[in-house]
Amino acid sequence: MMVKIAAIQMCSGVDPEKNALRMDALVREAHAGGAVYIQTPEMTGALQRDRKGLAEILRPEETDLIVARAKGLSAELGVYLHVGSTAIALEDGKTANRGFLFGPDGELVCRYDKIHMFDVDLDNGESWRESAVYRPGSEARVAHLPFGALGFAICYDVRFPQLFRAEAMAGAEIVSLPAAFTRQTGEAHWEVLVRARAIENGVFLIAAAQAGLHEDGRETYGNSMIVDPWGRILARAPSVGEAVIMADIDIAETIAARAKIPNLKNARDFELTEVRL
């Protein structure tokens, strides 16, 4: 079953209302191009590293602007609209980095909270502690859609292959990877990680990314990609600026790739023995 899917690249600022307007325009562009599944990047609603500024715009899921706009858009356009993620206020005072998939009727199909927190110290003094603000998720998800089974991951999750393997073993034929990769890590690892996760699991990988210099001072890598189960890049956005990329995908290609290299079936349990001199 051939379907057209789209990944939207954004440069979200600190104002959710402005970001919602840009999301709306780009989703409509993707729909006009024939896409039936449309994915937006991580933190579509706002990229805001200042904690006080983030607290001022945080809303619970029930009143969040991006969630409401996406719900209405999916119903109006009759598409599967996947908000890659946005920051959601939780009852315990923490925040979720949460993705939402809405169906063509506007109803919520699935939500996913980013599992792995970006707590790193990079070169040139760049340091991040996502766990200081966000509560990590604890549940992987696979949504069975008419055109294929969709697994979920967000940004830093890409460095944890066990998540992708678990979703593939549970039947995922497509895995979503919305992201806001830093320029430094993106230049080093983005493409190789995205293609590797697609190849080793025999899945389509859809990775909508943030791109460019943001109002909060961070710089993201862009290069949104759609990759097939053989690791071929079907569509790619530039490193800066908004973009809508699209590709026609057919789950038969997942079946074919897994038949050629059946590593999911060939995997074996093993014991690990350490030898110390």
Side-chain angles (χ1 to χ4, degrees), residues 54-85:
L54 179 63
E56 291 174 352
I57 62 174
L58 274 177
R59 299 289 182 273
E61 180 178 320
E62 295 74 18
T63 59
D64 182 78
L65 177 63
I66 295 295
V67 172
R69 180 64 64 93
K71 179 180 177 69
L73 263 178
S74 61
E76 177 190 345
L77 302 178
V79 298
Y80 286 92
L81 179 51
H82 179 187
V83 175
S85 86

Side-chain angles (χ1 to χ4, degrees), residues 72-150:
L73 263 178
S74 61
E76 177 190 345
L77 302 178
V79 298
Y80 286 92
L81 179 51
H82 179 187
V83 175
S85 86
T86 198
I88 296 294
L90 301 176
E91 293 180 356
D92 62 2
K94 281 280 194 176
T95 307
N97 187 342
R98 180 169 292 172
F100 298 88
L101 175 65
F102 294 96
D105 57 0
E107 293 302 308
L108 180 66
V109 174
C110 190
R111 60 172 63 82
Y112 169 76
D113 287 357
K114 185 177 181 179
I115 293 174
H116 300 97
M117 298 291 96
F118 190 53
D119 291 356
V120 303
D121 296 300
L122 303 174
D123 294 337
N124 304 320
E126 187 176 351
S127 182
W128 299 89
R129 289 294 179 272
E130 202 170 45
S131 62
V133 177
Y134 295 95
R135 187 181 74 186
S138 59
E139 186 175 351
R141 296 285 175 92
V142 175
H144 294 269
L145 307 178
F147 53 84
L150 177 71

Side-chain angles (χ1 to χ4, degrees), residues 9-12 41-43 47 126 128 155 179-187 209-214 216-223 238-241:
Q9 183 162 288
M10 297 177 65
C11 185
S12 294
E42 181 183 25
M43 288 299 159
L47 277 175
E126 187 176 351
W128 299 89
C155 201
F181 247 63
T182 68
R183 174 161 292 281
Q184 185 176 168
T185 57
E187 289 175 344
Q210 295 280 356
L213 183 62
H214 300 264
D216 72 345
R218 82 183 75 191
E219 191 173 6
T220 53
Y221 183 61
N223 287 274
S239 59
V240 295

Side-chain angles (χ1 to χ4, degrees), residues 263-277:
N263 59 310
L264 297 181
K265 291 182 178 180
N266 292 345
R268 293 174 53 84
D269 294 329
F270 53 86
E271 295 181 0
L272 174 64
T273 301
E274 292 187 72
V275 178
R276 298 181 182 273
L277 300 179

